[in-house]
Amino acid sequence: MEKVVNPTEQKNLIIELNEGREMANELKNQLDVVKTSPENCEVLVEKILSSYDKALAMLLTCRALKEETLPVHSLLVPTSPIISEGSNGFSKDQHCHNKGESKKRKILPKWSEQIRVCSGTGLEGAVDDGHSWRKYGQKDILGANFPRAYYRCTHRHSRGCLATKQVQRSDEDPSIFEVTYKGRHSCIQVTNSGSAIVSDGKEMPKAKKARSLEKEDQQGLKVQNEVLQTKQEIFRSFSFNFTGVESDNLDCQFFSDVMKESDYSPAFLSPTTSESNYFSSSCQMDNNFGTIDNILQISESVDLADMISTPTSVITNSPFGDLDFLNDHLDFEPSFQLDDPFAYFS
DNA sequence: TGGATTTGACCTAG
DNA sequence: CTAGGTCAAATCCA
């Protein structure tokens, strides 16, 4: 892989990564001191996460913008047949359909999230992202304790939106929901406040949604309205500024795949949509990772096998605490040093 | 009554 | 042939 970002972005990225490293070291030192208060540690963790978030957002930004200029098909990454034991087959190759609505599998961009919702928060099983989805199927998956639910965009017919998602509850940790998105929303319909406002201005009937969530709960796929807000908080932590990105930033490869293949691409790439709340142009960091217990991991599905194969390490750390998935894209050297991380991008 | 969910059947890829 | 993905009729519910 080639160099990733321009000098300015590179510098900022290095700064952020170094800060994160320093704070991690500080945290380590703090942990060695018995009398260190949990609050101090929490603050440090938040700072660390913030730094990594910023750094990754930079990479995300430049990659996304680069891919924006490419044909959609050039963005499609062949999914890996890798499927780890106990992964519920979540990452198994999902080829696509060519006949539109036919049962043939489509060639659609695909990306995945792992969402953990900690028990006690009332968000157990919460899987919502601000889009309105209609469940169209459910399947028992071989080797999985929980069925996989299939959703498509409510506006599939009215707007021809082909976005779909699959929600699979993790066997190993039922608090983890693995969500695979396929296709991008051609409809625009995400709110800033937790209610799902569709592009035509209608608000999703909350009672109905609550009912559906309740039903999902009965089958281990409970979804609650609160999660939307929670996820918005999560996404807000990824906020970055598009305006500062120059065209020569467009060499980062990995994150744009995620973005471009994601349902969120319009939101990420178009600050004019309401979804821009997730990736606002303010580049704000609010450290929500430190205050919520939801951990969201975005990855290409090709990497999800890795994530799933080690869900604990993925989930119990920061969203970027497990950077294994980066390796697939960036080909880091084992001796990766933050001093000049770009030297290791191949 | 209209929209969402459920669920068995069907289709396709591997 | 099997498993995963989708369809669509039946059903549910506000």
Side-chain angles (χ1 to χ4, degrees), chain A residues 158-179:
Chain A
S158 62
R159 296 174 181 271
C161 182
L162 296 178
T164 65
K165 74 172 179 179
Q166 302 171 4
V167 179
Q168 175 85 54
R169 194 168 197 168
S170 171
D171 286 343
E172 297 182 7
D173 187 347
S175 67
I176 298 172
F177 288 81
E178 296 149 356
V179 183

mmCIF file of all heavy atoms in Angstrom, chain A residues 158-179:
data_model
loop_
_atom_site.group_PDB
_atom_site.id
_atom_site.type_symbol
_atom_site.label_atom_id
_atom_site.label_comp_id
_atom_site.label_asym_id
_atom_site.label_seq_id
_atom_site.Cartn_x
_atom_site.Cartn_y
_atom_site.Cartn_z
ATOM 1 N N SER A 158 -40.511 1.676 -1.898
ATOM 2 C CA SER A 158 -40.910 3.052 -2.193
ATOM 3 C C SER A 158 -39.766 3.863 -2.782
ATOM 4 O O SER A 158 -39.978 4.770 -3.586
ATOM 5 C CB SER A 158 -41.426 3.724 -0.926
ATOM 6 O OG SER A 158 -40.405 3.784 0.059
ATOM 7 N N ARG A 159 -38.555 3.531 -2.368
ATOM 8 C CA ARG A 159 -37.406 4.307 -2.823
ATOM 9 C C ARG A 159 -36.338 3.451 -3.468
ATOM 10 O O ARG A 159 -35.257 3.931 -3.810
ATOM 11 C CB ARG A 159 -36.793 5.082 -1.647
ATOM 12 C CG ARG A 159 -37.744 6.117 -1.089
ATOM 13 C CD ARG A 159 -37.177 6.753 0.163
ATOM 14 N NE ARG A 159 -38.113 7.720 0.692
ATOM 15 C CZ ARG A 159 -38.130 8.983 0.339
ATOM 16 N NH1 ARG A 159 -37.267 9.421 -0.537
ATOM 17 N NH2 ARG A 159 -39.010 9.809 0.852
ATOM 18 N N GLY A 160 -36.637 2.211 -3.559
ATOM 19 C CA GLY A 160 -35.652 1.340 -4.187
ATOM 20 C C GLY A 160 -34.373 1.216 -3.399
ATOM 21 O O GLY A 160 -33.315 0.921 -3.944
ATOM 22 N N CYS A 161 -34.487 1.429 -2.127
ATOM 23 C CA CYS A 161 -33.305 1.332 -1.274
ATOM 24 C C CYS A 161 -32.973 -0.135 -1.033
ATOM 25 O O CYS A 161 -33.772 -0.894 -0.503
ATOM 26 C CB CYS A 161 -33.562 2.043 0.060
ATOM 27 S SG CYS A 161 -32.139 2.018 1.166
ATOM 28 N N LEU A 162 -31.794 -0.513 -1.407
ATOM 29 C CA LEU A 162 -31.405 -1.920 -1.350
ATOM 30 C C LEU A 162 -30.602 -2.272 -0.111
ATOM 31 O O LEU A 162 -30.060 -3.377 -0.014
ATOM 32 C CB LEU A 162 -30.595 -2.280 -2.597
ATOM 33 C CG LEU A 162 -31.355 -2.163 -3.907
ATOM 34 C CD1 LEU A 162 -30.440 -2.491 -5.070
ATOM 35 C CD2 LEU A 162 -32.583 -3.058 -3.917
ATOM 36 N N ALA A 163 -30.539 -1.350 0.805
ATOM 37 C CA ALA A 163 -29.745 -1.623 2.003
ATOM 38 C C ALA A 163 -30.392 -2.747 2.810
ATOM 39 O O ALA A 163 -31.592 -2.790 3.007
ATOM 40 C CB ALA A 163 -29.637 -0.363 2.860
ATOM 41 N N THR A 164 -29.567 -3.648 3.249
ATOM 42 C CA THR A 164 -30.030 -4.715 4.129
ATOM 43 C C THR A 164 -29.037 -4.883 5.263
ATOM 44 O O THR A 164 -27.897 -4.422 5.180
ATOM 45 C CB THR A 164 -30.164 -6.051 3.392
ATOM 46 O OG1 THR A 164 -28.869 -6.473 2.957
ATOM 47 C CG2 THR A 164 -31.088 -5.929 2.202
ATOM 48 N N LYS A 165 -29.471 -5.527 6.264
ATOM 49 C CA LYS A 165 -28.547 -5.847 7.343
ATOM 50 C C LYS A 165 -28.936 -7.176 7.977
ATOM 51 O O LYS A 165 -30.088 -7.603 7.925
ATOM 52 C CB LYS A 165 -28.504 -4.744 8.400
ATOM 53 C CG LYS A 165 -29.719 -4.669 9.306
ATOM 54 C CD LYS A 165 -29.478 -3.671 10.427
ATOM 55 C CE LYS A 165 -30.677 -3.553 11.352
ATOM 56 N NZ LYS A 165 -30.444 -2.603 12.462
ATOM 57 N N GLN A 166 -27.961 -7.792 8.548
ATOM 58 C CA GLN A 166 -28.179 -9.042 9.262
ATOM 59 C C GLN A 166 -27.730 -8.836 10.707
ATOM 60 O O GLN A 166 -26.690 -8.256 10.957
ATOM 61 C CB GLN A 166 -27.374 -10.171 8.632
ATOM 62 C CG GLN A 166 -27.706 -10.397 7.177
ATOM 63 C CD GLN A 166 -26.739 -11.361 6.533
ATOM 64 O OE1 GLN A 166 -25.869 -11.912 7.198
ATOM 65 N NE2 GLN A 166 -26.893 -11.578 5.243
ATOM 66 N N VAL A 167 -28.515 -9.325 11.600
ATOM 67 C CA VAL A 167 -28.180 -9.179 13.012
ATOM 68 C C VAL A 167 -28.056 -10.565 13.622
ATOM 69 O O VAL A 167 -28.974 -11.368 13.569
ATOM 70 C CB VAL A 167 -29.258 -8.374 13.759
ATOM 71 C CG1 VAL A 167 -28.903 -8.266 15.229
ATOM 72 C CG2 VAL A 167 -29.400 -6.993 13.136
ATOM 73 N N GLN A 168 -26.921 -10.785 14.169
ATOM 74 C CA GLN A 168 -26.629 -12.088 14.763
ATOM 75 C C GLN A 168 -26.118 -11.891 16.171
ATOM 76 O O GLN A 168 -25.145 -11.178 16.393
ATOM 77 C CB GLN A 168 -25.577 -12.829 13.939
ATOM 78 C CG GLN A 168 -25.121 -14.128 14.537
ATOM 79 C CD GLN A 168 -26.033 -15.279 14.183
ATOM 80 O OE1 GLN A 168 -26.300 -15.523 13.016
ATOM 81 N NE2 GLN A 168 -26.525 -15.977 15.191
ATOM 82 N N ARG A 169 -26.768 -12.517 17.078
ATOM 83 C CA ARG A 169 -26.311 -12.422 18.460
ATOM 84 C C ARG A 169 -25.157 -13.394 18.668
ATOM 85 O O ARG A 169 -25.200 -14.531 18.223
ATOM 86 C CB ARG A 169 -27.448 -12.763 19.419
ATOM 87 C CG ARG A 169 -27.176 -12.366 20.843
ATOM 88 C CD ARG A 169 -28.459 -12.458 21.661
ATOM 89 N NE ARG A 169 -28.349 -11.715 22.914
ATOM 90 C CZ ARG A 169 -29.363 -11.433 23.688
ATOM 91 N NH1 ARG A 169 -30.567 -11.797 23.345
ATOM 92 N NH2 ARG A 169 -29.182 -10.759 24.797
ATOM 93 N N SER A 170 -24.172 -12.926 19.340
ATOM 94 C CA SER A 170 -22.986 -13.734 19.552
ATOM 95 C C SER A 170 -23.261 -14.889 20.493
ATOM 96 O O SER A 170 -23.946 -14.749 21.503
ATOM 97 C CB SER A 170 -21.851 -12.868 20.116
ATOM 98 O OG SER A 170 -20.769 -13.673 20.520
ATOM 99 N N ASP A 171 -22.728 -16.013 20.138
ATOM 100 C CA ASP A 171 -22.845 -17.167 21.019
ATOM 101 C C ASP A 171 -22.016 -16.985 22.271
ATOM 102 O O ASP A 171 -22.446 -17.298 23.382
ATOM 103 C CB ASP A 171 -22.363 -18.429 20.301
ATOM 104 C CG ASP A 171 -23.369 -18.889 19.271
ATOM 105 O OD1 ASP A 171 -24.525 -18.440 19.345
ATOM 106 O OD2 ASP A 171 -23.002 -19.690 18.411
ATOM 107 N N GLU A 172 -20.839 -16.505 22.049
ATOM 108 C CA GLU A 172 -19.893 -16.426 23.161
ATOM 109 C C GLU A 172 -20.277 -15.352 24.157
ATOM 110 O O GLU A 172 -20.031 -15.485 25.342
ATOM 111 C CB GLU A 172 -18.484 -16.173 22.622
ATOM 112 C CG GLU A 172 -18.002 -17.330 21.754
ATOM 113 C CD GLU A 172 -16.590 -17.096 21.263
ATOM 114 O OE1 GLU A 172 -15.970 -16.114 21.703
ATOM 115 O OE2 GLU A 172 -16.116 -17.889 20.445
ATOM 116 N N ASP A 173 -20.811 -14.291 23.646
ATOM 117 C CA ASP A 173 -21.229 -13.213 24.528
ATOM 118 C C ASP A 173 -22.560 -12.670 24.020
ATOM 119 O O ASP A 173 -22.603 -11.882 23.083
ATOM 120 C CB ASP A 173 -20.172 -12.107 24.547
ATOM 121 C CG ASP A 173 -20.510 -11.044 25.595
ATOM 122 O OD1 ASP A 173 -21.657 -11.040 26.096
ATOM 123 O OD2 ASP A 173 -19.629 -10.232 25.900
ATOM 124 N N PRO A 174 -23.640 -13.099 24.628
ATOM 125 C CA PRO A 174 -24.967 -12.682 24.169
ATOM 126 C C PRO A 174 -25.180 -11.183 24.197
ATOM 127 O O PRO A 174 -26.136 -10.701 23.597
ATOM 128 C CB PRO A 174 -25.909 -13.386 25.149
ATOM 129 C CG PRO A 174 -25.132 -14.542 25.658
ATOM 130 C CD PRO A 174 -23.695 -14.072 25.714
ATOM 131 N N SER A 175 -24.304 -10.503 24.872
ATOM 132 C CA SER A 175 -24.455 -9.046 24.886
ATOM 133 C C SER A 175 -23.889 -8.422 23.624
ATOM 134 O O SER A 175 -24.004 -7.230 23.407
ATOM 135 C CB SER A 175 -23.751 -8.455 26.111
ATOM 136 O OG SER A 175 -22.358 -8.623 26.009
ATOM 137 N N ILE A 176 -23.275 -9.244 22.810
ATOM 138 C CA ILE A 176 -22.693 -8.748 21.573
ATOM 139 C C ILE A 176 -23.606 -9.072 20.405
ATOM 140 O O ILE A 176 -24.021 -10.207 20.222
ATOM 141 C CB ILE A 176 -21.312 -9.359 21.330
ATOM 142 C CG1 ILE A 176 -20.359 -8.969 22.442
ATOM 143 C CG2 ILE A 176 -20.757 -8.923 19.980
ATOM 144 C CD1 ILE A 176 -19.031 -9.697 22.381
ATOM 145 N N PHE A 177 -23.879 -8.076 19.624
ATOM 146 C CA PHE A 177 -24.657 -8.260 18.409
ATOM 147 C C PHE A 177 -23.767 -7.935 17.222
ATOM 148 O O PHE A 177 -23.181 -6.869 17.151
ATOM 149 C CB PHE A 177 -25.895 -7.361 18.402
ATOM 150 C CG PHE A 177 -26.940 -7.826 19.359
ATOM 151 C CD1 PHE A 177 -26.845 -7.528 20.704
ATOM 152 C CD2 PHE A 177 -27.998 -8.594 18.917
ATOM 153 C CE1 PHE A 177 -27.804 -7.965 21.598
ATOM 154 C CE2 PHE A 177 -28.963 -9.036 19.801
ATOM 155 C CZ PHE A 177 -28.866 -8.722 21.147
ATOM 156 N N GLU A 178 -23.691 -8.868 16.363
ATOM 157 C CA GLU A 178 -22.874 -8.668 15.174
ATOM 158 C C GLU A 178 -23.804 -8.271 14.031
ATOM 159 O O GLU A 178 -24.712 -9.001 13.672
ATOM 160 C CB GLU A 178 -22.113 -9.947 14.854
ATOM 161 C CG GLU A 178 -21.130 -10.297 15.959
ATOM 162 C CD GLU A 178 -20.928 -11.790 16.102
ATOM 163 O OE1 GLU A 178 -21.601 -12.559 15.400
ATOM 164 O OE2 GLU A 178 -20.089 -12.171 16.917
ATOM 165 N N VAL A 179 -23.565 -7.136 13.516
ATOM 166 C CA VAL A 179 -24.442 -6.594 12.480
ATOM 167 C C VAL A 179 -23.671 -6.471 11.181
ATOM 168 O O VAL A 179 -22.622 -5.843 11.129
ATOM 169 C CB VAL A 179 -24.995 -5.214 12.880
ATOM 170 C CG1 VAL A 179 -25.958 -4.715 11.831
ATOM 171 C CG2 VAL A 179 -25.669 -5.298 14.240
#
